[in-house]
Amino acid sequence: ERAQDRYAQALGHFQTALALGHPATAALHEICGDLHTLLGEYSAALRAYEAAAALAAPPDLSRLEHKLGQVHERRGQWELADSHYGAALERYRGADDAAALARLYVDRSRVAYGAGELDRARDLAEEALALATAAGDTEAEARAHNTLGILARQAGRLEEARASLERSLALSASAEPSARVAALNNLAHVHGAAGDLDGALALLEQALILCARHGDRHREAALHNHRADLLHPGDVLGQAAE
């Protein structure tokens, strides 16, 4: 609650700066989009990112297209997300930024998984891992291993999934909190699928504490949903959102 309150206060200050005519309009709209996203206000986030894109310099458009795709992904709008990721891809390639490409490929892989395109999702995740390793981007590596772990679990290869997700968790120690939350959540899925309810709940508790501290409402809601599924007597384990 404190994290979310701080985000709301910060958002108010940035919006006031815009209203008062601060010259960094594109940057301020983008920051507002970031805060709306964390607060779960997705329509407002899209408007803010679109306003930023209308004012941004060409080198910044790839990042904004990527962020627009991420908001659509959170809403489960796979085709719209993939369309924005495709636009970002062309710009990232032109900039020769392997780390940014790696993170984009991870997100494209996750969208392919959400759309049920499992072979494509695995190909994209493996490409993301190769790019991340080449770029030395540990956070992108963590996210790629996370997606590969999800895909292995989906295929019933629990030991392979566990290995990928434990690697993701180790790499995410110094990454953005959302990367570590994702690894903990998906490792909990593996423990749940293996019948280890106590282990799954312990991992979810760690994820919930970290997620609440970070203040990301969407991910915190998904974690509570996963926890409820595990505790429901008739639940089929491992069906909550990734």
Side-chain angles (χ1 to χ4, degrees), residues 90-215:
E90 295 306 313
R91 295 181 180 277
Y92 280 144
R93 279 175 173 162
D96 193 27
D97 188 339
L101 270 175
R103 295 182 187 215
L104 179 63
Y105 270 87
V106 169
D107 290 349
R108 292 181 71 212
S109 173
R110 208 167 44 244
V111 163
Y113 170 74
E117 301 171 6
L118 301 185
D119 290 340
R120 179 169 178 260
R122 185 171 186 84
D123 289 344
L124 287 165
E126 289 174 346
E127 180 68 17
L129 183 57
L131 286 165
T133 303
D137 187 329
T138 55
E139 182 170 330
E141 282 188 72
R143 293 184 184 278
H145 279 295
N146 179 65
T147 304
L148 289 168
I150 292 171
L151 291 164
R153 177 178 61 82
Q154 181 75 16
R157 300 191 301 272
L158 295 186
E159 286 307 311
E160 179 184 335
R162 187 193 298 268
S164 290
L165 292 166
E166 287 177 348
R167 179 63 177 151
S168 177
L169 188 61
L171 287 165
S172 68
S174 59
E176 185 185 69
S178 61
R180 190 163 183 82
V181 167
L184 287 165
N185 183 39
N186 287 304
L187 196 53
H189 275 297
V190 172
H191 280 262
D196 179 9
L197 179 60
D198 289 341
L201 290 172
L203 289 162
L204 277 179
E205 186 63 26
Q206 292 181 55
L208 277 164
I209 291 168
L210 182 59
C211 197
R213 188 182 303 144
H214 184 50

